[in-house]
Amino acid sequence: MCGRRTSTEEVPITTALAPFAGRTVARVGYGAAQLPRLHERRADAVALVRRAVELGVNHFDTAEFYGFGFANSVLREALRPDDGALVVTKVGADPDPGGRLPLRTAQRPEQLRATVEDNLRSLGADRLDVVNLRRLDTGPGLRPAGDQAVDLDDQLAVLTALRDEGKIGAIGLSSVTLDGLRTALPAGIACVQNAYSLVSRDDEDMLRLCLSTGIPWVPFFPLGGAFPGLRKLADEPVAHAVAESLGVTVAQVGLAWLLHHAPNTLVIPGTAEIAHLEANAAVAGIGFDAGTLAALDAVESRSNEVPLG
């Protein structure tokens, strides 16, 4: 549709579905990082995942270090073959229960292979649908040092070998730089997962590259950062004003903006509460008029470069 939009004409989300790793998935998925909050209420955790499936979620993002295998084990129990779920996991970090953070870098090729095996066991799978290599080169979080500073080509070599062996279906990248993505493109990249939100849009050039090459963009921290010093969507007055005008939550505004901003964006908000899960699933139906979308687009972006070590 061409032509100027009026300020009150609603701009719809282009589609609620998108291609990903040879499949078609709902653009609103579920990130399992908060499932461990239900560690003592396992039945509730399983029920939460089942409710996600009922709501049309068929893209689940997880990791062995989410609750030291708990999230994976819940997905193993809750998901059924006829759900058609795409389960995405990640390598590049391992659980570290006694550390300053609950995880440590695991970037060496042999560690990547071992983490793939750990995920296969805890998910009860013969093959992992998609494995994201968490490079730790950019954005908030850990930084590799010493023997953990590994060349990207060496990491891609082991992941490509694992793909050839049939242990993983597709390779994604996370916390990667623009140059890193360009280097990796010949290996076949299924998705990019970097920190990105309405209030922190450092990677706009990378998002455009992903869009032009047909790569799904799957932001983590979609509502701003969980670390001290990172801008949060909840601190942004414009988001509050839009939420109030539409009768939705600030979180819904932030997630809906991501879906509006680029058609290759998939969101994977996490929660341990069914009511919150249902609110997240509803964002695919939120439209913005052109004036509202322009006001959100004009929100100042602040860097999320906050290394933790």
Side-chain angles (χ1 to χ4, degrees):
M1 178 176 173
C2 299
R4 181 182 296 275
R5 294 182 183 272
T6 68
S7 62
T8 58
E9 181 182 354
E10 186 175 277
V11 181
I13 291 173
T14 53
T15 176
L17 303 174
F20 187 9
R23 309 264 288 275
T24 298
V25 300
R27 292 181 68 197
V28 181
Y30 176 75
Q34 294 193 43
L35 267 184
R37 290 170 50 194
L38 299 173
H39 193 276
E40 304 305 319
R41 297 156 49 199
R42 186 180 183 88
D44 290 344
V46 171
L48 182 77
V49 174
R50 290 308 310 162
R51 180 59 180 146
V53 172
E54 291 169 359
L55 292 167
V57 173
N58 60 353
H59 166 203
F60 294 85
D61 183 269
T62 187
E64 177 68 19
F65 55 80
Y66 290 168
F68 315 123
F70 179 79
N72 279 3
S73 70
V74 169
L75 292 177
R76 175 180 184 173
E77 180 178 346
L79 295 176
R80 303 164 185 167
D82 59 359
D83 292 331
L86 181 78
V87 178
V88 180
T89 187
K90 55 189 68 70
V91 296
D94 284 340
D96 186 19
R100 179 171 64 91
L101 294 174
L103 70 163
R104 61 177 179 270
T105 54
Q107 295 278 300
R108 295 195 307 273
E110 68 272 17
Q111 292 174 310
L112 301 182
R113 179 175 282 275
T115 305
V116 164
E117 296 291 351
D118 290 341
N119 279 282
L120 285 167
R121 281 191 294 271
S122 56
L123 285 166
D126 296 322
R127 187 185 78 155
L128 303 174
D129 294 329
V130 181
V131 172
N132 284 329
L133 168 61
R134 182 65 64 85
R135 269 290 293 180
L136 309 175
D137 291 331
T138 185
L142 296 170
R143 290 290 184 272
D147 66 358
Q148 289 295 305
V150 180
D151 188 80
L152 175 58
D153 286 339
D154 293 337
Q155 295 176 316
L156 290 172
V158 70
L159 292 175
T160 300
L162 286 161
R163 187 176 60 190
D164 292 343
E165 294 166 21
K167 292 190 174 183
I168 66 178
I171 300 166
L173 292 174
S174 179
S175 296
V176 65
T177 63
L178 183 59
D179 285 344
L181 173 59
R182 287 172 175 151
T183 296
L185 285 176
I189 299 303
C191 65
V192 172
Q193 191 179 89
N194 277 21
Y196 179 89
S197 69
L198 173 63
V199 295
S200 190
R201 305 186 298 276
D202 290 350
D203 286 330
E204 203 69 23
D205 288 344
M206 193 179 316
L207 171 53
R208 283 195 288 268
L209 176 59
C210 288
L211 182 59
S212 68
T213 52
I215 296 174
W217 177 254
V218 192
F220 68 89
F221 288 175
L223 304 178
F227 298 156
L230 291 180
R231 180 71 172 169
K232 296 178 176 59
L233 182 69
D235 298 329
E236 177 49 56
V238 172
H240 282 272
V242 171
E244 184 175 357
S245 70
L246 296 179
V248 299
T249 68
V250 171
Q252 286 177 308
V253 169
L255 295 172
W257 178 84
L258 288 166
L259 297 180
H260 278 276
H261 189 58
N264 62 324
T265 298
L266 310 175
V267 295
I268 46 170
T271 182
E273 301 173 3
I274 284 182
H276 191 194
L277 174 75
E278 293 169 344
N280 290 339
V283 302
I286 295 175
F288 298 133
D289 65 42
T292 298
L293 193 55
L296 291 170
D297 288 345
V299 167
E300 180 186 5
S301 172
R302 300 186 183 182
S303 177
N304 60 27
E305 273 299 308
V306 182
L308 298 182

